[in-house]
């Protein structure tokens, strides 16, 4: 029950994008930007803001080689995703958070309190659930967005999330019955629990630093053109999509 309660909040924060309206909030040179496009960029950023430190935590607290390997993949993958998010956000006039949602912050606190085998088990199961939940969301964004920058981020996120799901499964600690049930039957929580807080005025942007020998790379944005869809694009996004 504790594991379920912990996993649901961050999972909901990610899957919420699937119910966002398709309303276009900005016409850009890379294609129209919808509410769910914007929310997806914010959610990818927020995911890194809690999964990256959890990966660092796993490097210190993990008790098996497979948990250590999974932790390395979290740090590596989310550092690269974060670089892409920070590249495209100003291009699309999207305000990125510097903190994950309140529930995600609580999730990190819970793993900080874990140790030994319990940490390994909670780490593998919760992260497998959250990555499994966002996997379907990425597919929806990738198949429906008309914005080429968002599409490029979705491509990278798809590869990263699939990799992270796989390394969690290779720990041998994932309870698939529980994981799949919780992925497909999330409870409803208030938006305030799921929404990352906006950055404070003048606050420096948090940067997730890549490891010394990264294997994941950010998206190469050179040569990306408009997303199409027959929408006249302005030179940049309008109005503010933050």
């Amino acid at each position: 029950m504790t594991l379920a309660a912990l996993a649901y909040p961050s999972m909901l924060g990610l899957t919420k994008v699937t119910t966002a309206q398709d309303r276009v909030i900005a016409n850009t040179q890379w294609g129209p930007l919808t509410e769910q496009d914007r929310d997806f960029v914010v959610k990818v950023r927020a995911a890194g803001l809690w999964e990256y430190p959890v990966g660092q935590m796993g490097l210190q607290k993990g008790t098996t080689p497979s948990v250590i390997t999974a932790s390395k993949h979290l740090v590596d993958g989310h550092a690269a995703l974060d670089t892409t998010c920070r590249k495209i956000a100003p291009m699309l006039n999207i305000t990125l958070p510097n903190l994950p949602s309140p529930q995600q912050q609580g999730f990190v606190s819970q793993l900080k309190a874990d140790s030994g085998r319990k940490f390994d088990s909670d780490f593998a199961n919760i992260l497998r659930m959250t990555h499994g939940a966002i996997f379907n969301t990425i597919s929806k964004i990738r198949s429906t967005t008309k914005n080429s920058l968002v599409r490029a981020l979705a491509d990278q996120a798809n590869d990263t999330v699939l990799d992270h799901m796989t390394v969690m499964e290779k720990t041998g600690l994932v309870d698939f019955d529980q994981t799949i049930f919780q992925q497909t039957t999330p409870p409803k929580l208030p938006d305030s629990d799921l929404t990352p807080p906006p950055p404070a005025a003048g606050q420096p942007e948090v940067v997730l630093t890549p490891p010394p020998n990264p294997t994941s790379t950010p998206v190469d944005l050179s040569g990306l053109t408009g997303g199409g869809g027959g929408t006249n694009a302005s030179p940049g996004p309008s109005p503010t999509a933050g």
Side-chain angles (χ1 to χ4, degrees):
M1 292 299 292
T2 300
L3 181 61
L6 290 172
Y8 280 151
S10 57
M11 181 167 56
L12 280 171
L14 293 170
T15 56
K16 185 174 180 285
V17 69
T18 62
T19 61
Q21 295 180 352
D22 294 332
R23 182 175 68 88
V24 174
I25 57 175
N27 290 318
T28 82
Q29 67 191 76
W30 302 280
L33 185 77
T34 65
E35 286 190 16
Q36 64 183 6
D37 290 337
R38 176 196 59 195
D39 290 350
F40 177 67
V41 177
V42 171
K43 297 302 181 186
V44 172
R45 163 73 167 177
L49 290 173
W50 73 271
E51 291 177 18
Y52 179 95
V54 164
Q56 292 180 313
M57 196 186 309
L59 293 175
Q60 300 297 320
K61 299 175 69 171
T63 67
T64 68
S66 60
V67 170
I68 299 298
T69 295
S71 299
K72 291 178 180 178
H73 281 239
L74 283 180
V75 171
D76 184 82
H78 280 292
L81 275 176
D82 188 68
T83 298
T84 302
C85 284
R86 289 185 292 103
K87 281 183 178 179
I88 71 172
M91 298 167 74
L92 298 173
N93 206 19
I94 295 175
T95 300
L96 294 178
N98 268 339
L99 291 171
S101 72
Q103 293 293 343
Q104 290 169 335
Q105 293 177 52
F107 179 68
V108 174
S109 296
Q110 175 62 31
L111 281 178
K112 283 183 179 179
D114 282 350
S115 62
R117 183 72 174 180
K118 178 172 173 54
F119 174 85
D120 292 345
S121 180
D122 285 357
F123 173 90
N125 280 280
I126 296 173
L127 286 163
R128 173 55 179 83
M129 281 186 280
T130 55
H131 283 87
I134 189 60
F135 197 55
N136 291 331
T137 299
I138 295 169
S139 176
K140 181 179 186 297
I141 292 293
R142 178 60 181 83
S143 64
T144 60
T145 185
K146 298 177 182 179
N147 188 283
S148 60
L149 296 181
V150 175
R151 192 156 51 241
L153 177 63
D155 283 340
Q156 183 186 358
N158 184 77
D159 293 342
T160 302
V161 170
L162 179 57
D163 172 69
H164 291 176
M165 289 170 62
T166 302
V167 293
M168 295 305 158
E169 293 163 356
K170 287 182 177 179
T171 64
L173 299 172
V174 174
D175 181 336
F176 284 94
D177 288 338
Q178 183 183 39
T179 295
I180 294 171
F181 173 77
Q182 291 172 346
Q183 280 180 202
T184 56
T185 56
K188 294 181 179 180
L189 293 174
D191 288 346
S192 59
D193 288 345
L194 309 174
T195 306
Q203 184 181 52
E205 186 175 59
V206 171
V207 175
L208 304 184
T209 306
N213 299 298
T215 58
S216 299
T217 56
V219 169
D220 181 2
L221 301 178
S222 62
L224 283 184
T225 58
T231 303
N232 293 328
S234 60
S238 176
T240 298

